[in-house]
Amino acid sequence: MKIVMLGAPGAGKGTQAKMIAAKYEIPHISSGDIFRMNIKNGTELGKKAKEYMDQGLLVPDELTVDLVIDRLSQDDCKKGCILDGFPRTIPQAEALAAALEARGDRLDYAINVDVPDENIVARMSGRRTCTGCGATYHIIYNPSKTGDTCETCGETLILRDDDKPETVQKRLSVYHEQTQPLIDFYDGQKILKTVDGTQDMNDVFAAIVRILEA
Ligand code: ADP
Ligand code: ADP
Ligand code: ZN
């Protein structure tokens, strides 16, 4: 099973992707997590990506496509995977389709987690991200039981620089311009499924499971 998660920044893609990955025992591949890990480790790629991420812009396709497609060719993806945050542009979606096709494979579902812009800024300002393992929490909707530290790894939770309201607005406009066209792209391929992302996260998950098991 190969699944792509679509949706605005903060729609809940990562939250749902982690739950799906756990239930179906497939890897969760987040391009944003890969970039953040590179930034943390001070790699060349991390330095380049950070310049764009801090401004709320997309990292150029040239720096993104091979990175994710290489990850997809690792053995653990043979049984399937869930892509979160990739593709984000039509050229990325085309490169993904071509790479899968080259090995006789294809995507099964593109799941669009639909949340209106009005809800996004509040969600993002409450998001807290673990500096150790990348786990995400929300100060109101999904607080860490251990307060300012991660329940899983104990590291500190932070408000990501790009989750501050000024940058969130920019990311939303970038989403509408560059990523939203993927909804029509996957609808055209008859694999698009939309869920109401404004529901409680467990209800969103139940809706996704119903789609995957239909
Ligand atoms: P969110 O989950 O809030 O949407 P991500 O962690 O997916 O955020 O992405 C954070 C940032 O990393 C993006 O704003 C963008 O700069 C960069 N990024 C992540 N994935 C991609 C991608 N597929 N293409 C280009 N840039 C990306
Ligand atoms: P994305 O990966 O799409 O950027 P996240 O999964 O990181 O989004 O979710 C953004 C923030 O909203 C996080 O703080 C998360 O805990 C919270 N969140 C996710 N799903 C829901 C939901 N259904 N209701 C309320 N808050 C949610
Ligand atoms: Zn952690």
Side-chain angles (χ1 to χ4, degrees), residues 121-191:
V121 179
R123 268 205 196 175
M124 301 295 249
S125 56
R127 171 155 69 181
R128 294 294 178 273
T129 303
C130 174
T131 50
C133 71
T136 51
Y137 299 88
H138 191 283
I139 51 174
I140 297 163
Y141 306 119
N142 183 26
S144 167
K145 293 186 185 71
T146 52
D148 292 338
T149 56
C150 178
E151 284 170 19
T152 322
C153 77
E155 290 288 322
T156 313
L157 304 182
I158 56 152
L159 172 66
R160 271 166 48 183
D161 275 341
D162 62 342
D163 279 353
K164 297 186 175 142
E166 319 80 81
T167 318
V168 170
Q169 287 299 348
K170 180 67 198 167
R171 288 164 66 198
L172 272 175
S173 67
V174 166
Y175 166 76
H176 288 300
E177 271 169 41
Q178 294 185 264
T179 308
Q180 201 172 321
L182 294 178
I183 293 177
D184 283 343
F185 178 89
Y186 287 121
D187 194 28
Q189 300 185 359
K190 308 275 182 252
I191 59 167

Side-chain angles (χ1 to χ4, degrees), residues 1-3 20 24 26 78-82 108-109 212:
M1 188 157 61
K2 290 201 167 52
I3 306 167
I20 298 165
Y24 297 101
I26 51 176
K78 284 212 173 92
K79 56 188 171 178
C81 68
I82 175 138
D108 298 286
Y109 297 101
L212 301 181

